[in-house]
């Protein structure tokens, strides 16, 4: 049996998404900037996708900019805001558990003279609202906090964060990396006080190389890709019509039957956690209830290196991750696990199980059964 539990790294596309991409590649394949019929057909697909996505967030279509994925969306939000607001200040706040597509741009901005404040998190991966309030200054131009942590599934109180930011300094822009949250939570940027929101398509059973950045109508972001002036000059380059259209289909499916789908995720997650607790020497990281994201379970296995266990499971056609697979296939020791205070001896013994729409109870039971069989054997022959 194949059991794929690495959906936070990437997902299998829905059949409907694959069909939509094929249509845009083989039938409505024109350049959306062309003035003839083929171009207009392609443009209509992009417009349809933009409207679908805007409807899921209850925002206007003009506030959606298509990108090549979460990394570009995050880079665009950080660089674009830093450049456009550089005369107002050069102070930026983030957390100590962000994705590399936040950390690396901020490191570069730090080299360019910006000051970055990194907020610590508690044992469950959440920042302190009081520490955030104390860190905001008159020259704070941007706060960037992820909605759902990609490694342990910690959920930040983004609405409360937004309130603190806008009460303390109304000029400060609030960016949310929602790459692991979109499709798992109902997100209303305007109601929640979110100014910028990053999303990736391949986390929601959409095509790889697709994503978008929500930019609130009152927020000015300087474009980082210049050229032909597409997307109202915000992101030049011929639109990826198949990707945009496929992303739109995936977004619509993510919010169709939403409550039932999320309940299903939590049922599977509870079943997985219950099974893990039956295994000696396991520790689940973060909240085990609905305070955690519905699709992610982080578990440490005492006395076993994560890479060894990962490949042992792979031989049983069980696919998991040892941390974030987005930045490298050799991620090293997780900064997130260190930040939440995981014991030193467990830092290199932690796997992430992440659920998707194609998982079921049989797969959960299979992975638990295999872990019960594999772990005692590995512990007999462990080497340090």
């Amino acid at each position: 049996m194949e059991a794929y539990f690495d959906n936070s790294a990437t997902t299998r596309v829905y059949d409907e998404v694959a069909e939509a991409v094929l249509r845009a590649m083989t039938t409505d394949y024109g350049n959306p900037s062309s003035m003839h019929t083929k171009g207009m057909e392609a443009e209509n697909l992009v417009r349809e996708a933009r409207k679908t996505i805007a409807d899921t967030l209850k925002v206007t279509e003009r506030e959606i900019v298509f990108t090549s994925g979460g990394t570009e969306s995050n880079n665009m939000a950080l660089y674009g805001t830093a450049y456009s607001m550089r005369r107002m200040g050069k102070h930026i706040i983030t957390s100590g558990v962000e994705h590399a597509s936040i950390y690396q741009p901020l490191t570069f901005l730090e080299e360019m003279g910006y000051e970055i404040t990194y907020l610590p998190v508690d044992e469950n991966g959440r920042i302190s609202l009081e520490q955030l309030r104390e860190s905001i200054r008159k020259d704070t131009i941007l706060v960037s906090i992820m909605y759902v942590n990609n490694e342990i599934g910690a959920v930040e109180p983004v609405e409360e964060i937004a309130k603190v930011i806008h009460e303390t300094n109304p000029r400060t822009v609030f960016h949310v990396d929602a790459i692991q949250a979109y499709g798992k939570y109902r997100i209303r940027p305007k109601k929640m006080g979110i100014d910028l929101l990053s999303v990736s398509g391949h986390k929601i059973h959409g095509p790889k190389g697709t994503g978008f950045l929500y930019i609130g109508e009152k927020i000015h972001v300087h474009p980082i890709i210049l050229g032909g002036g597409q997307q109202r000059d915000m992101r030049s380059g011929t639109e990826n019509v198949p990707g945009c259209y496929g992303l739109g289909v995936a977004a619509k499916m993510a919010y169709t039957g939403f409550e039932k789908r999320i309940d299903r995720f939590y049922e599977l997650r509870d079943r997985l956690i219950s099974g893990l607790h039956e295994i000696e020497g396991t520790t689940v990281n973060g909240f085990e209830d609905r305070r955690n994201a519905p699709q992610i379970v982080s578990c440490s296995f005492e006395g076993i290196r994560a890479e060894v266990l990962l490949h042992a499971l792979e031989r049983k056609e069980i696919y998991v991750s040892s941390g974030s697979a987005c930045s490298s296939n050799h991620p090293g020791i997780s900064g997130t696990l260190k930040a939440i205070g995981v014991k030193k001896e467990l830092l290199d013994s932690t796997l992430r199980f992440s659920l998707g729409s194609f998982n079921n109870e049989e797969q959960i039971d299979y992975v638990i059964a295999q872990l019960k069989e594999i772990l005692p054997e590995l512990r007999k022959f462990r080497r340090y």
Side-chain angles (χ1 to χ4, degrees), residues 106-272:
L106 290 180
T107 298
F108 177 78
L109 286 173
E110 204 164 17
E111 293 171 357
M112 295 297 104
Y114 288 78
E115 182 183 350
I116 315 298
T117 296
Y118 296 92
L119 299 175
V121 295
D122 62 20
E123 68 275 11
N124 295 304
R126 290 183 171 184
I127 68 167
S128 161
L129 295 178
E130 191 55 40
Q131 282 185 316
L132 170 63
R133 189 186 301 275
E134 293 172 356
S135 299
I136 298 172
R137 312 183 318 213
K138 290 182 179 180
D139 63 339
T140 303
I141 57 172
L142 176 67
V143 175
S144 181
I145 303 291
M146 60 171 30
Y147 198 134
V148 169
N149 182 269
N150 56 297
E151 292 188 47
I152 64 171
V155 183
E156 298 292 347
V158 293
E159 196 164 358
E160 290 87 345
I161 290 171
K163 186 177 180 182
V164 168
I165 294 168
H166 298 311
E167 284 179 351
T168 309
N169 186 346
R171 297 194 311 169
T172 302
V173 173
F174 181 31
H175 167 247
V176 173
D177 172 348
I179 290 164
Q180 298 291 348
Y182 183 78
K184 310 302 186 301
Y185 292 88
R186 289 198 182 278
I187 305 173
R188 302 288 183 262
K190 293 183 184 299
K191 180 181 178 182
M192 298 170 74
I194 298 170
D195 301 310
L196 301 168
L197 186 90
S198 300
V199 172
S200 175
H202 73 115
K203 311 297 187 180
I204 59 166
H205 302 281
K208 294 177 180 64
T210 67
F212 67 85
L213 178 66
Y214 159 78
I215 305 175
E217 58 188 349
K218 296 181 180 179
I219 304 303
H220 179 64
V221 173
H222 194 280
I224 61 174
I225 298 179
L226 306 174
Q230 288 87 350
Q231 300 200 72
R232 298 183 297 106
D233 289 323
M234 284 307 303
R235 204 264 191 180
S236 290
T238 301
E239 292 92 335
N240 173 10
V241 180
C244 294
Y245 190 47
L247 175 57
V249 172
K252 184 175 182 178
M253 294 182 70
Y255 286 98
T256 299
F258 178 76
E259 281 76 16
K260 183 177 180 181
R261 181 167 163 271
I262 297 307
D263 285 342
R264 170 73 170 162
F265 274 128
Y266 275 118
E267 288 171 4
L268 293 175
R269 184 175 185 271
D270 291 344
R271 191 182 189 98
L272 176 59

Side-chain angles (χ1 to χ4, degrees), residues 259-296:
E259 281 76 16
K260 183 177 180 181
R261 181 167 163 271
I262 297 307
D263 285 342
R264 170 73 170 162
F265 274 128
Y266 275 118
E267 288 171 4
L268 293 175
R269 184 175 185 271
D270 291 344
R271 191 182 189 98
L272 176 59
I273 290 174
S274 295
L276 289 169
H277 282 315
E278 295 173 3
I279 302 171
E280 185 180 355
T282 60
T283 303
V284 174
N285 302 305
F287 289 120
E288 296 184 16
D289 56 20
R290 290 200 174 207
R291 288 173 292 179
N292 207 84
Q295 80 277 23
I296 297 175

Side-chain angles (χ1 to χ4, degrees), residues 287-356:
F287 289 120
E288 296 184 16
D289 56 20
R290 290 200 174 207
R291 288 173 292 179
N292 207 84
Q295 80 277 23
I296 297 175
V297 175
S298 171
C299 187
S300 301
F301 297 87
E302 185 179 337
I304 303 295
R305 289 183 57 229
E307 186 177 355
V308 172
L309 181 53
L310 183 152
H311 289 303
L313 290 171
E314 180 186 14
R315 288 191 287 272
K316 301 292 185 177
E317 295 188 283
I318 298 169
Y319 304 100
V320 298
S321 174
S322 57
S324 172
C326 301
S327 57
S328 171
N329 56 8
H330 302 288
I333 300 298
S334 164
T336 296
L337 297 180
K338 288 182 180 178
I340 65 172
V342 170
K343 295 178 182 178
K344 184 178 180 181
E345 61 268 24
L346 296 180
L347 289 174
D348 194 27
S349 301
T350 302
L351 294 182
R352 179 188 67 184
F353 301 82
S354 48
L355 304 168

